[in-house]
Amino acid sequence: LHAGLYLLAWVGVALFEQGTRLWVLFAGWELVSTAGWGLIAWGRGCSPRSLHAAQIALLTTRLGDVFWVAGAFSGGTFPEGLWLAAMVKAGLFPFTFWLVQAMYAPAMVSALLHSALLVALGVYLPLKEPFGGMVSQLPALWVERTGETIGTVAAIGTLLSRSDKAALA
């Protein structure tokens, strides 16, 4: 099961990376989200806590999908939608709660979620074609203030964290 979910995740990353059409990017990101859900849920033997963490991750990343669809198909009138989708799926503030819950999964799953899958794709999305101008469409001050707020809150959260894995998240 783990090997299949890892393979599904990497196929999703490949689709996202190589895709140039909206539906291909979306399909790749969905494969990654689905694989992440499965790895969180079954990483520790399908315990109630791991199922709860997986459910939170699944529901929150669906919120990212709503923003994705709204932003991608708005005809350029809602570029913030794609930006918000990236923030939700990457687990950036104020959407960090799902990523902290996902840290209950084993370290190899946590590392995969952080380094290669959802977080990295969320950061990469604003730079990805066909959205290359996505960041330039947003007001510079908005982007700057968002980055400052995320950095400050993340630093405070890290200092207050009681677990190493939660501090990493």
Side-chain angles (χ1 to χ4, degrees), residues 48-105:
R49 183 164 177 209
S50 62
L51 288 174
H52 182 264
Q55 180 183 17
I56 290 173
L58 184 70
L59 293 175
T60 306
T61 55
R62 295 301 67 84
L63 175 64
D65 295 341
V66 169
F67 285 130
W68 170 287
V69 170
F73 299 106
S74 68
T77 60
F78 186 54
E80 296 87 359
L82 292 170
W83 185 264
L84 289 169
M87 288 176 63
V88 171
K89 292 250 187 179
L92 299 178
F93 178 79
F95 306 105
T96 54
F97 60 90
W98 79 263
L99 201 52
V100 173
Q101 290 291 321
M103 290 302 100
Y104 180 71

Side-chain angles (χ1 to χ4, degrees), residues 2-169:
H2 279 98
L5 289 170
Y6 277 108
L7 179 63
L8 183 67
W10 289 114
V11 168
V13 169
L15 277 174
F16 185 88
E17 168 56 31
Q18 299 300 314
T20 57
R21 298 185 183 271
L22 287 175
W23 68 271
V24 175
L25 295 174
F26 189 74
W29 213 350
E30 285 307 299
L31 285 176
V32 171
S33 294
T34 303
W37 170 78
L39 289 167
I40 294 166
W42 286 287
R44 292 199 185 269
C46 205
S47 70
R49 183 164 177 209
S50 62
L51 288 174
H52 182 264
Q55 180 183 17
I56 290 173
L58 184 70
L59 293 175
T60 306
T61 55
R62 295 301 67 84
L63 175 64
D65 295 341
V66 169
F67 285 130
W68 170 287
V69 170
F73 299 106
S74 68
T77 60
F78 186 54
E80 296 87 359
L82 292 170
W83 185 264
L84 289 169
M87 288 176 63
V88 171
K89 292 250 187 179
L92 299 178
F93 178 79
F95 306 105
T96 54
F97 60 90
W98 79 263
L99 201 52
V100 173
Q101 290 291 321
M103 290 302 100
Y104 180 71
M108 61 186 174
V109 173
S110 302
L112 186 66
L113 285 171
H114 276 91
S115 66
L117 297 181
L118 296 173
V119 175
L121 294 182
V123 173
Y124 182 54
L125 176 67
L127 307 173
K128 177 84 172 124
E129 290 297 329
F131 310 117
M134 188 171 108
V135 175
S136 65
Q137 291 177 2
L138 297 173
L141 187 60
W142 189 85
V143 174
E144 185 179 313
R145 294 294 178 248
T146 301
E148 289 171 355
T149 303
I150 290 169
T152 302
V153 171
I156 292 169
T158 300
L159 290 172
L160 297 177
S161 177
R162 290 183 266 156
S163 113
D164 292 340
K165 283 179 77 175
L168 174 64

